[in-house]
Amino acid sequence: MQKPTPDRPGEAPSEQGGDRHRSVSIWDVAKVAGVSHQTVSRVVNGSPRVKKATRDRVLEVIDELGYKPNRLARALAGGVVRSVTVLTSDTTLYGASLALRGIEEAARAADFAVSVSVLDDSSPLTPDDVAGRLARPGEPVLVIAFNAAGERAWRALPADFPAAAVVERPQEEHAGGRPEAWLDDRAAAAQATRYLLGLGHHTVHYMTIPSSTTRVGQRAEGWRDALTAAGHPAPEPLDGGWSPRSGYLAARRVVADPQVTAVLCGNDDLALGVLRAAREAGRDVPGDLSIMGFDDAPYAAYTHPTLTTVRLDFEGLGRGAFGMLHRLLDPENAPVLPLWAEPELIVRESTGPAPHRTA
Amino acid sequence: MQKPTPDRPGEAPSEQGGDRHRSVSIWDVAKVAGVSHQTVSRVVNGSPRVKKATRDRVLEVIDELGYKPNRLARALAGGVVRSVTVLTSDTTLYGASLALRGIEEAARAADFAVSVSVLDDSSPLTPDDVAGRLARPGEPVLVIAFNAAGERAWRALPADFPAAAVVERPQEEHAGGRPEAWLDDRAAAAQATRYLLGLGHHTVHYMTIPSSTTRVGQRAEGWRDALTAAGHPAPEPLDGGWSPRSGYLAARRVVADPQVTAVLCGNDDLALGVLRAAREAGRDVPGDLSIMGFDDAPYAAYTHPTLTTVRLDFEGLGRGAFGMLHRLLDPENAPVLPLWAEPELIVRESTGPAPHRTA
DNA sequence: GCGGGGGATGTGAGCGATAACATCCCGTCC
DNA sequence: GGACGGGATGTTATCGCTCACATCCCCCGC
C-alpha cells in the first residue's frame, strides 16, 4: 500500500505540523480534490480539456484552500510568462513616470507583474547587462526610451528578446523591427510653432530638452519644419536640460534680446525657468515675449501666467506599449485599438500676439 | 570512475544544436570546469569551503561562458532572496515617485530586483490579495503608505511578512512592530507655522492633503501644535487634494477674506493653486497674503512668486526604508546610519510680514 | 462484438538553483 | 600504521509548476 492517493513525491510521512510556513501548492489542491496535479494545472490555466464537474470541484478546492499559483515556479517551468521588466532611466521625469503608470495599469489588467529597473548613465548596458536585470532569461522587456540612457538600452537589447519600447521617435534603421510606441511630437511641435507664427511672431526660438537621439529631438525637428515651411530661417536652438533651473540658466541671455519674441520649450519645466528669466529681465509675458511649454504638466494651468503648452498622453502611450508587447507575446491578445490620444495644443496665457516692432 | 564528468540528469545525448535559446546554467559551468554543480553554487555564493584553485577555475569558466544565476530558480530553491515588491498607490505623486527612486537605487546597490505593484482604491487588499501580488510567498515587501490606499495595504499585510514601509506617521498601536521610515512632518509643519507666526501673522490657515490616517495628517497636527503652543486657536482646516486644481478650488472662498493672511499648504501643488486663487481675488502675495507649500518640488523655486516651502528628503526616505528591510532580512546588513535628511525650511518669496491690520 | 478515435487524466521528466547529507582524501596523533 | 577529524566535493531531494507523452475510458460504426 504505497500510495492510497497519489502522494506527493517527497511528502513527509509525518503529520503536517512540521513545516512552518509552506504555502499551499498545486499538490495540496490535487490531493484534496482527488485529482492529479496536472489536472489542477489545467484548470488554473483554463485548458478546455477538463470535464466541467472536475473543473468545478477543483475550483472549489482552490478557493477553499486559498491556493495562489507561484509565479516563480510557473516561470521557471517555462509556462506562460506574465511578467515584464520595465527599463527606465528616471522614474521622476513627468513623461516617464506617467508612461510607467500606464504600463503598470495595463499590465495589471492583463495580470502581469511589473519589475522596474532603473538605468543610470554609467551602467554598461551590454546585452549581458540587460539580461542580468531580468528575472529570468527571455523575460519580456519594456523600455522607456525618452532619453539617451533609455535609447541606449533599447539599442543594446538583443533582437531576439520579446520587447517593446516607448520612444521619442521610431528607429528607422530597424524598420523591420520591434514594436515601438511614440507620440507624434514632431507634428505637435510644428503645430505649436505655426501657432506662434500665426500670432505674428517673426520667428520662434526653441529650447531643447536633452534628446534621446544623437543630434536633435523630434520636437526640435517639428519646430524647424514649421519654420522652414513658413520661409523663416531657424535660429540656433538653446540647449536646455530637464529642469526649471536649466531652463532658467539657458534663457538668461537670450531673453534679454528684444528681437526674441517667442520661445518654444521642450517641456513645461523649461518654460517655467524661461518665464522666470524673462521676468527678471523685465520682459512682459506675453506682452513682450511669448513662452510656450510642452507636456501639460499638472501645474501648467496654475503658473503665472498660465502656460500655453501641448498636452501629451504619456499614460496612454505606456498602456499602448504594453499592449504591443502583449500582442507580441501572443497574437491572440487584442490590440486595443485607439491606443493613445493625439497631442493637443492647449492655449493659455503665456503666449500672445507679437509685440509691435519698434526697431 | 563511473562517469568522467557527472552528466546533467536530462542532458540530451545529441549535440547542442537542439535547443535554441537556453541560457547557460550552473550545470554547463560545472561540466566545463569539471566539478559538480554544487561546487559552482558554492563559488557563486561565496562559500569559504572551496579550494582556491577550484574557485579560480570555476570563476574563469563562469566568466568565459557568461553565466548569470537565474533569480527565479534561486528564489524557488529557497536561497537568499534578492527581490522586493514595492506596493504604492500612485507612482506620479511627487513624494511617492522620489521614494520609489530611492528604494530602487538602494535595492540596485544591494543587487535586489524591484517589482512594483500599484494599489488602486478599489483593490480589496486582503492579506490574500497582497500575497497574490508577490512573486512568491514570503517575498519581502516595501509599502509606500503616504495615502489611504497605501496605509490600508500596510495594515493588511500579515505580520509575518518581511516588510517595511515609508509612512506618514509611525503606527502607535503596532509599536512592537515592523520597521517604518518616516519624516518628521509634524515638527516640520510646526516649524513652518512658527515661522509664519513670527512674521506677525495673527493666525495661520492650513490646507490639508488627503491624509493616510483617518482624521488628520501629521502636517496638520504640527500646524495645530504650533498654533496651540502660541496660544492661538486653530481655524478650521481647508480640505485640499493633491493637485493644484484642488488647491485652487478649495481656496477660492477663503482667499477673499482679508482676515486670512497666511495659508500653509500640505504640498506645493496645493500652494500653487492657492496662489492662483489669491491672484484672482486680487490679493497680493506676499503683501496681503503669505502662502507656503510643502515638499520643495523642483518647480517651487521658479513659480511667481517663488514658493516658501519645506524641503523633504523623500529619496533618502526610500533608501532608508530599503535599508531597514535589508537589515530585517539579515541583521548582517549594516544599517546605513544617517538614513535621510531632516526636513528643512526653505524661505522664498511667497511669504512675508503680515500686512498692517486695517480692520 | 470489436477495433478506432478522441476527450479526460495521470505519469515522469525537467526548469535552475539550494540544502542537507554522504563521500572522499589526506595529514595527524597515538 | 591505522583510526580519527575535518576540509573539499559529490549526490540526492526539493521548490512548485508546465511539457510531452502515456493511459484510460466511453461511444461509435461496421
Side-chain angles (χ1 to χ4, degrees):
Chain A
M1 48 146 282
Q2 33 196 10
K3 1 177 181 169
T5 58
D7 250 14
R8 182 172 192 163
E11 195 81 60
S14 65
E15 75 275 17
Q16 80 288 10
D19 45 11
R20 55 241 152 138
H21 206 47
R22 249 218 14 249
S23 61
V24 348
S25 83
I26 205 172
W27 287 94
D28 303 320
V29 175
K31 197 195 302 179
V32 175
V35 298
S36 78
H37 69 278
Q38 179 62 346
T39 297
V40 176
S41 170
R42 290 199 182 93
V43 170
V44 170
N45 292 293
S47 153
R49 15 202 56 186
V50 178
K51 215 193 315 180
K52 178 137 194 335
T54 312
R55 172 191 310 284
D56 288 347
R57 181 138 46 86
V58 170
L59 286 176
E60 199 175 307
V61 174
I62 284 180
D63 195 55
E64 182 186 324
L65 264 47
Y67 165 75
K68 299 268 178 198
N70 178 322
R71 295 195 125 104
L72 258 51
R74 189 131 60 172
L76 220 210
V80 195
V81 178
R82 298 228 156 316
S83 72
V84 212
T85 287
V86 177
L87 261 31
T88 178
S89 69
D90 188 340
T91 50
T92 55
L93 276 182
Y94 183 65
S97 82
L98 280 183
L100 178 58
R101 173 149 97 185
I103 289 171
E104 208 282 341
E105 264 173 30
R108 189 147 34 91
D111 193 31
F112 267 56
V114 178
S115 295
V116 174
S117 186
V118 172
L119 311 159
D120 47 26
D121 294 317
S122 61
S123 30
L125 287 186
T126 58
D128 265 8
D129 176 65
V130 173
R133 293 163 177 268
L134 271 36
R136 66 102 196 264
E139 184 183 33
V141 174
L142 274 174
V143 183
I144 299 182
F146 283 144
N147 61 10
E151 182 76 20
R152 262 168 54 225
W154 182 225
R155 285 176 194 282
L157 213 60
D160 56 349
F161 274 53
V166 177
V167 298
E168 187 183 324
R169 59 158 23 141
Q171 281 189 292
E172 283 144 36
E173 320 96 275
H174 289 223
R178 303 171 292 180
E180 297 182 326
W182 77 94
L183 291 167
D184 198 347
D185 289 24
R186 185 168 180 167
Q191 184 190 0
T193 306
R194 278 195 303 273
Y195 156 75
L196 288 169
L197 291 174
L199 287 171
H201 294 280
H202 184 248
T203 190
V204 173
H205 287 255
Y206 179 72
M207 181 177 288
T208 65
I209 46 174
S211 172
S212 64
T213 45
T214 31
R215 309 233 338 117
V216 282
Q218 286 282 86
R219 298 178 188 180
E221 290 202 3
W223 158 74
R224 203 184 299 274
D225 289 350
L227 240 37
T228 307
H232 300 285
E236 190 64 18
L238 307 168
D239 277 339
W242 293 107
S243 66
R245 180 180 159 76
S246 67
Y248 170 74
L249 295 176
R252 275 192 301 185
R253 191 168 307 165
V254 192
V255 115
D257 180 353
Q259 299 281 24
V260 177
T261 66
V263 179
L264 173 63
C265 300
N267 73 21
D268 290 337
D269 278 356
L270 288 178
L272 200 57
V274 176
L275 214 51
R276 163 145 291 257
R279 190 157 32 234
E280 287 186 0
R283 302 197 66 193
D284 179 53
V285 177
D288 301 330
L289 176 63
S290 285
I291 296 177
M292 190 168 165
F294 228 98
D295 285 359
D296 193 27
Y299 63 74
Y302 292 88
T303 56
H304 178 63
T306 55
L307 278 176
T308 293
T309 187
V310 177
R311 179 172 300 161
L312 299 178
D313 183 14
F314 288 113
E315 201 170 338
L317 200 60
R319 275 196 301 266
F322 177 82
M324 291 172 142
L325 181 65
H326 199 197
R327 183 175 51 173
L328 179 70
L329 296 175
D330 179 357
E332 286 284 294
N333 299 313
V336 196
L337 261 187
L339 288 167
W340 54 82
E342 288 301 309
E344 181 188 356
L345 194 66
I346 308 281
V347 176
R348 296 207 183 92
E349 302 165 356
S350 68
T351 52
H356 295 295
R357 311 201 64 183
T358 56
Chain B
M1 53 162 296
Q2 33 198 4
K3 346 179 186 173
T5 59
D7 251 14
R8 184 171 190 165
E11 194 81 60
S14 65
E15 75 276 18
Q16 81 288 11
D19 45 12
R20 57 242 151 135
H21 205 51
R22 249 220 12 251
S23 62
V24 347
S25 83
I26 204 170
W27 288 93
D28 303 321
V29 175
K31 197 197 301 181
V32 175
V35 298
S36 78
H37 71 280
Q38 181 62 317
T39 297
V40 176
S41 171
R42 290 198 182 95
V43 170
V44 170
N45 293 291
S47 153
R49 13 203 59 188
V50 178
K51 214 194 314 181
K52 179 141 192 333
T54 313
R55 172 192 309 284
D56 288 346
R57 182 138 45 85
V58 170
L59 284 175
E60 199 174 307
V61 174
I62 284 180
D63 195 54
E64 182 186 323
L65 264 47
Y67 164 75
K68 300 265 177 197
N70 179 321
R71 297 195 123 106
L72 259 50
R74 203 153 18 191
L76 219 210
V80 195
V81 180
R82 298 229 155 317
S83 72
V84 211
T85 288
V86 177
L87 261 32
T88 178
S89 69
D90 189 341
T91 49
T92 55
L93 276 181
Y94 183 65
S97 82
L98 279 183
L100 178 59
R101 171 148 98 186
I103 290 172
E104 207 283 341
E105 263 173 33
R108 190 146 34 92
D111 194 30
F112 267 56
V114 177
S115 293
V116 175
S117 187
V118 172
L119 311 159
D120 48 25
D121 295 317
S122 61
S123 30
L125 286 185
T126 58
D128 266 7
D129 176 64
V130 173
R133 293 164 177 267
L134 272 36
R136 66 103 198 260
E139 185 182 32
V141 174
L142 274 175
V143 182
I144 299 182
F146 283 145
N147 59 10
E151 182 76 20
R152 261 167 55 224
W154 182 225
R155 285 176 193 281
L157 213 60
D160 55 350
F161 274 51
V166 178
V167 298
E168 187 184 324
R169 58 154 26 136
Q171 282 188 291
E172 283 145 36
E173 321 94 276
H174 289 221
R178 304 172 291 180
E180 297 181 327
W182 77 96
L183 291 167
D184 199 346
D185 289 23
R186 185 169 179 167
Q191 185 189 0
T193 306
R194 279 195 303 272
Y195 156 73
L196 289 169
L197 290 174
L199 288 171
H201 295 278
H202 185 248
T203 189
V204 173
H205 287 255
Y206 178 73
M207 182 177 288
T208 65
I209 46 174
S211 172
S212 64
T213 44
T214 31
R215 307 228 347 112
V216 282
Q218 285 283 87
R219 298 177 188 180
E221 290 203 4
W223 158 74
R224 202 184 300 274
D225 289 350
L227 241 36
T228 306
H232 301 283
E236 190 65 18
L238 307 168
D239 277 339
W242 293 108
S243 66
R245 180 180 159 77
S246 67
Y248 170 73
L249 295 175
R252 275 192 301 185
R253 190 168 307 164
V254 192
V255 115
D257 180 353
Q259 300 280 25
V260 177
T261 67
V263 180
L264 173 63
C265 300
N267 72 21
D268 290 338
D269 278 357
L270 288 178
L272 201 56
V274 176
L275 215 50
R276 163 145 291 256
R279 190 155 35 234
E280 287 187 0
R283 303 197 65 192
D284 179 54
V285 177
D288 301 329
L289 176 64
S290 285
I291 297 178
M292 189 168 166
F294 228 99
D295 285 359
D296 193 27
Y299 63 75
Y302 293 87
T303 55
H304 178 65
T306 55
L307 278 176
T308 293
T309 186
V310 177
R311 178 173 299 162
L312 299 178
D313 183 15
F314 289 113
E315 200 169 339
L317 199 60
R319 275 195 302 266
F322 177 83
M324 291 170 144
L325 182 65
H326 199 196
R327 183 176 49 174
L328 178 70
L329 296 175
D330 179 357
E332 286 285 294
N333 300 312
V336 196
L337 260 186
L339 288 167
W340 53 83
E342 288 301 309
E344 182 188 355
L345 194 64
I346 308 281
V347 176
R348 297 209 183 90
E349 303 165 355
S350 68
T351 51
H356 294 296
R357 311 201 64 183
T358 56

